[in-house]
Amino acid sequence: MSEIVDDIKFIDEEGKRIDGRRVDEMRPLKIEAGVLKRADGSAYLEWGDNKVMAAVYGPRECHPRHMQNPSRAIIQCRYNMMSFSVSDRKRPGPDRRSIEISKIISEALENVVFTENFPRTSIDVYIEVLQANAGTRVAGLTAASVALADAGIPMRDLVPAVAVGKADGHIILDLNGKEDNFGSADLPIAMIPRTGEVLLMQMDGHMTMEELDLALSYAKKACQEIYDIQRDALHRRYASQAGTEDDNDDDDDLPDEEA
Amino acid sequence: MSEIVDDIKFIDEEGKRIDGRRVDEMRPLKIEAGVLKRADGSAYLEWGDNKVMAAVYGPRECHPRHMQNPSRAIIQCRYNMMSFSVSDRKRPGPDRRSIEISKIISEALENVVFTENFPRTSIDVYIEVLQANAGTRVAGLTAASVALADAGIPMRDLVPAVAVGKADGHIILDLNGKEDNFGSADLPIAMIPRTGEVLLMQMDGHMTMEELDLALSYAKKACQEIYDIQRDALHRRYASQAGTEDDNDDDDDLPDEEA
Amino acid sequence: MSEIVDDIKFIDEEGKRIDGRRVDEMRPLKIEAGVLKRADGSAYLEWGDNKVMAAVYGPRECHPRHMQNPSRAIIQCRYNMMSFSVSDRKRPGPDRRSIEISKIISEALENVVFTENFPRTSIDVYIEVLQANAGTRVAGLTAASVALADAGIPMRDLVPAVAVGKADGHIILDLNGKEDNFGSADLPIAMIPRTGEVLLMQMDGHMTMEELDLALSYAKKACQEIYDIQRDALHRRYASQAGTEDDNDDDDDLPDEEA
Amino acid sequence: MADEVVSQIKKGHIHKLLSMGRRMDGRSADEYRSITVEAGIIGSAQGSARVRIGNTDVVVGVKMDVGSPFPDTPDRGVLTTNAELIPMASPTFEPGPPDQNAIELSRVVDRGIRESEMIDLQKLCIVEGEEVWINFLDIYVLDYDGNLFDACFYGAVAALRNTIVPAEKHEKGDDYPMPLRHYPIQTTAVKIENSILFDPALDEEMVADARLTVTTDENGDLRAMQKGLAGALTLDEVNEIIDTSLRLSKGLREIIG
Amino acid sequence: MADEVVSQIKKGHIHKLLSMGRRMDGRSADEYRSITVEAGIIGSAQGSARVRIGNTDVVVGVKMDVGSPFPDTPDRGVLTTNAELIPMASPTFEPGPPDQNAIELSRVVDRGIRESEMIDLQKLCIVEGEEVWINFLDIYVLDYDGNLFDACFYGAVAALRNTIVPAEKHEKGDDYPMPLRHYPIQTTAVKIENSILFDPALDEEMVADARLTVTTDENGDLRAMQKGLAGALTLDEVNEIIDTSLRLSKGLREIIG
Amino acid sequence: MADEVVSQIKKGHIHKLLSMGRRMDGRSADEYRSITVEAGIIGSAQGSARVRIGNTDVVVGVKMDVGSPFPDTPDRGVLTTNAELIPMASPTFEPGPPDQNAIELSRVVDRGIRESEMIDLQKLCIVEGEEVWINFLDIYVLDYDGNLFDACFYGAVAALRNTIVPAEKHEKGDDYPMPLRHYPIQTTAVKIENSILFDPALDEEMVADARLTVTTDENGDLRAMQKGLAGALTLDEVNEIIDTSLRLSKGLREIIG
């Protein structure tokens, strides 16, 4: 969060944001599953002006050896921003921010994958941000869980994630680039709609307890919405794989063994 | 190739170059084999103002393990310019240029070594440029194949290499430093005289098809000349090793099993 | 040693140094053993304005494997200055100076540890300089040998070390920061009092042979003094471990099997 | 493998105790171990502190230098936070550049300091767009027995409160204390099965399912949070942790002060 | 080992097909797979393109900044090319800095762009000896199914043709299109036993003996070449590949446009 | 393991010879192997030398450039010494940045040059506080057969004595020889059991207990020392080595000259 705030008007008299959204309205989100050939699973996502590709390899032999876990698979996520995805060119290679994000995304995904089915292996998740416009970590996690499902990896659920923030004194859902740069709080969160479980959560900035409550309520609603889009992407993927004979709307083929 | 060209005269009225050579004339080339004690094979080369040392270790256990090839030896070449070998001091350690050169030299040498005789091993070739004056990659490859032979590694042939280029509108053989800096094309090439096989070839700059033909004909002739100097270096090496009793000119002791 | 010397007065008319010491007088030295919980052994040292922590782990499995010695343990010391321990912030991570110091301290400690008792293992010694004021390498070695003893590692003796130097034309013992910066010679040395054996010695600057003799005689006396403080630290440590019933001054519980 | 077995046994033991409402060292669920703060112990630093929470032991130093501001904040000083998990502190820490654990740690500490606006960075501007004070906040862990997040944060806060801007040395006028605006407090809790435990010791951390670090200010407002580990928290648990954090923060603020 | 066996079987299969004059996917020897070019897809870049050749998928972006020229070319802009073989694209790609394959790839693409004098670097000089435009040409491989050399080169050409110099943002006057002089085209062929195959698919690359990449300009002149792999080419084969490359280049130039 | 066995056997052999007062190659204890110095062999360097001691073979080059002085020595040129133990020179040397052996080697050579005040660094100041000559002293080991400390030191001394400051090229007036004040000499001895041997060959180094490198000047004063290896030296042995070093230094100075 920048400290230079609040002289810009982010919410107009009619309660509309600079891009015309309501405070609790998400940017348009599109997800397509199964977009890469070599990867075991993949998903491409456009969310507002974010463009994110996720790919999954595994379960496969874990390198280096000493990281193997004898009782389960480990999830190794690598979140990366392409050099041209941001305003000033970013040097290729991991920086401290991307290493932290990779870690918390790995942890969130570990929660839903049945890692105990694949001892000693690694499930590798690669997230590449082609174009960034606020909220890339939640976009990456949202895409990654679709890619995991596309790879056929047994999961107890999908992981939708979204950021809520604060600008111009208002709690707003799914900050865009400008709102993020000049806003005064940011709270990325991943929540499983069915159980209300929080798998990823960070916060920085300044929020009262009341604002936090509002923010979490926005996030909860949005995660349900994102979850539906994730499921839809997988439906379309399975339908296209299965051809025309199995183009129904039944949920049975989705990876929710514990539903 | 620099783009600043052609206002310098590289060929005079009599067809002579700035160092007095004809367009199809090589700089003086001297090779000495067996110049280092610890290495399994070595060669020192002076070619115009280039000074290059090559050393070979192996076949020996391949590190790291995962690079081992179960059916043959791998050739690992490391081409390096010493920091003081060029006009402006070069930082020690590999740069992108030297990594590319190391790769293409490794590939060229792989062609002639009977790698299938030594599964799971590595044959390590080290090329150090003590002083550089255009054409160091072909000088390095030329020296390296002599060092391989000196190491007693079975090879089907030696690999002579040379650069042809273009300056002042003329195709010229074996560019020196000035011709290289201000020339308009460079074509390093390694060719086995007996078979005409091309093992290494790169080109950058600007050449018409006719110029390419001329360049390749110069290269072919030069490679034969270099090849003879390589063989001569090995003869002298064997003669000195064998002492006086075996100082003949016979080719039989050279590594050309398929001759 | 800086070359800018000698216009500062380091010894006054009464033979006293800028901090009031005589030429052959050490700065106050305090050592406490057993100050960390996780490490197998540890020692904290304050020596003038130096503050140094040493910790020992091992003998333990040696990583990487290829460094294992089949007939004995290896000693791996890592000397490090904390970023804020010096006047201008030092970037974290090893620099060339600390790598050299780590090497010579490892060698000195190898002399006294019965490494042959622990084949294939590593004994890891970590020295952290919290605050530096000249003589940190000898302070580190002095602390490290106490930490080794605290770890219960069999040793034939402790290793006291001190620096002697030259400033203002005088040989002086245990240079402080100012004397070190503007002095004209520095001679860090580790010597076992009982045998007079020199385990670590470096010198830079300018000394006549007579000055060297004087310097070594100062060092010898100081090493005995330091040795007594090391032993005292271990006594206090053992006493506190043993509780009140074994609070005697007997040397038998000290690690000098060959005494 | 052996580690795995020991870990399983330890886990069983801790779970059994927790089912009886007890922790291994006898603390209550929201009780911190003994905290000691020694400020100003490093003379070569502009500010410093050594903080112990139980056996966890960290040292923090602040070095200040004059340098250029970032282009997008020309009128503010710069804060750079680094944490080193040196191998002295634990058999599991390895030499080398900070790994993902060290990076997360330093970023969480940095976020707590930065987002609370604890430092008045505008008062660390010397000439707008040209010269500002650069703060290097360096954290070294000497002994690791759990809850590094809080130990390092308290060390950072104590070191900053103790920092003197070295203006004279740089010929920028008289020395003055680091300009501070807030005194944020942070707590860290873990969830083990259905228990929420504050200030986890190492053994508790090893078997924890989820972790939540919460930073609040004097007004009881949120300044930063970081959830960690693969386990989930319900919103109720999140709220419970935040409430307890606020309750604990007054006592902690007095200790760190 | 298993890889080795599969590779042997695949090699046998490909050789058998080739002996009957056929390729695995039914193409003729000088036929490219389907090529698609999407230009301008990255709004945060000054120029960009995503290129697919069959299943091979690459994205290229151009970022421009103002900086200092190299001392020996004070009146020219700077071109820096980097290729990242990210592990997303293939199970054989590993994280980390570019390896020798990525370096060769980026240097071959760079050479084709640079030696063809495609960019008029003199028009990217702002103040001689002081300020010029710096071009970062960054290539990311998303999906690797063979012939990266051409896919990346086409991506680079398409991205450059689509690039707008961001002069306004840097207060250097009005934006203008990247100044280009030539439209070079590159082809890559491999030799497998006695067959020369253009646009090798991954399976073909895995068993190829030699590789030749040829860059030519609109006049049919050579601008760059790179031979790769351990196999040999005869001069006749070199000439055959160059002739075919020239023949193919017109069609390719229209597709990349 | 095999290495260990061979090493034990070699050690036994060397010890047995030494007990009879002999070295493997027939030298006396204080005798150097044949030393050859070729100066000025690298035209692209400002100074250079190739030095062989027996089969040990090193090449040293000096490159000079104009740059900024260190803030604390504004009126002096800068010396930077680097030694590369390239894998060409020994099967035990590995590619990569300098390891601890290479670093100790370069620092010992540097210390001998620097502490002897061999170079008059003040004469390498161009404009105080702004421009000075930067000396890069780069050492490459081509063939390693023991006693690199001395070979590299002699190479450095010979290269410096042969260096021409490239003032004209940098438009700083006429070229002139490197300003030198002293001609330090260094010797290295090892202790094997109770013998002190100068100029250890590789086989001797492999079984040595302790090593002492001594640098002295023309006046017979000490300028630098470095003890190495895990073995101990008595003060008597230290004095014996220094005495012999002084005795040998005249002859060595003439050879290196």
Side-chain angles (χ1 to χ4, degrees), chain B residues 73-124:
Chain B
I74 63 166
I75 309 262
Q76 298 194 84
C77 175
R78 180 179 174 271
Y79 161 100
N80 183 53
M81 284 186 143
M82 289 188 178
S83 58
F84 43 71
S85 66
V86 282
S87 177
D88 291 331
R89 177 176 183 266
K90 203 200 138 291
R91 283 170 79 98
D95 56 12
R96 296 166 65 95
R97 175 181 169 276
S98 68
I99 289 170
E100 184 196 0
I101 292 176
S102 297
K103 181 174 191 284
I104 59 173
I105 291 181
S106 299
E107 291 171 343
L109 292 172
E110 211 179 307
N111 185 276
V112 292
V113 172
F114 290 113
T115 55
E116 55 277 22
N117 295 7
F118 309 102
R120 297 191 182 282
T121 66
S122 176
I123 296 169
D124 298 311

Side-chain angles (χ1 to χ4, degrees), chain E:
Chain E
M1 285 289 279
D3 289 0
E4 196 69 8
V5 172
V6 170
S7 157
Q8 285 304 323
I9 292 170
K10 222 171 232 177
K11 195 163 188 162
H13 181 56
I14 292 176
H15 285 166
K16 200 176 148 196
L17 282 176
L18 286 176
S19 70
M20 298 183 289
R22 284 163 46 200
R23 295 173 77 169
M24 288 187 88
D25 53 9
R27 285 184 285 155
S28 62
D30 62 354
E31 186 179 350
Y32 270 69
R33 291 168 290 177
S34 137
I35 301 174
T36 63
V37 177
E38 288 178 84
I41 52 150
I42 308 292
S44 46
Q46 272 69 60
S48 61
R50 184 168 172 185
V51 167
R52 291 184 185 86
I53 306 186
N55 285 308
T56 289
D57 194 345
V58 307
V59 57
V60 179
V62 178
K63 291 288 279 188
M64 297 185 72
D65 200 355
V66 172
S68 302
F70 286 117
D72 53 342
T73 52
D75 63 338
R76 280 145 211 265
V78 171
L79 173 66
T80 299
T81 305
N82 189 54
E84 297 277 321
L85 300 181
I86 52 177
M88 166 178 283
S90 163
T92 63
F93 293 171
E94 298 190 3
D99 67 1
Q100 59 175 7
N101 294 311
I103 286 172
E104 185 186 20
L105 174 59
S106 63
R107 285 179 63 83
V108 166
V109 172
D110 185 87
R111 212 173 285 140
I113 302 291
R114 188 183 302 276
E115 296 301 332
S116 69
E117 298 168 288
M118 180 183 179
I119 308 174
D120 190 343
L121 290 174
Q122 279 180 296
K123 292 212 177 117
L124 294 179
C125 177
I126 303 168
V127 180
E128 184 168 333
E130 294 185 15
E131 277 192 341
V132 300
W133 289 103
I134 314 286
N135 303 281
F136 292 101
L137 184 65
D138 286 309
I139 302 168
Y140 288 83
V141 177
L142 300 176
D143 212 353
Y144 168 44
D145 194 26
N147 199 11
L148 290 181
F149 282 83
D150 289 351
C152 294
F153 186 81
Y154 301 159
V157 167
L160 286 167
R161 296 198 60 172
N162 161 262
T163 298
I164 300 297
V165 182
E168 278 176 42
K169 183 184 153 196
H170 292 269
E171 301 179 348
K172 305 292 174 194
D174 293 338
D175 287 358
Y176 57 98
M178 175 69 78
L180 302 177
R181 290 197 292 219
H182 290 276
Y183 305 106
I185 278 298
Q186 174 186 298
T187 64
T188 294
V190 293
K191 178 179 169 187
I192 302 178
E193 298 215 319
N194 293 311
S195 305
I196 302 291
L197 306 179
F198 279 75
D199 179 32
L202 180 59
D203 283 336
E204 292 167 340
E205 274 189 8
M206 302 307 279
V207 303
D209 299 310
R211 186 188 67 232
L212 186 61
T213 298
V214 173
T215 313
T216 54
D217 64 21
E218 303 92 326
N219 302 320
D221 291 346
L222 265 185
R223 294 298 193 145
M225 291 195 291
Q226 179 91 344
K227 180 198 165 288
L229 307 185
L233 295 172
T234 62
L235 285 183
D236 283 348
E237 288 165 338
V238 169
N239 283 321
E240 178 196 334
I241 292 170
I242 295 174
D243 287 348
T244 309
S245 176
L246 281 170
R247 185 159 45 74
L248 293 174
S249 62
K250 284 204 192 78
L252 290 168
R253 191 170 278 113
E254 275 167 29
I255 296 171
I256 315 310

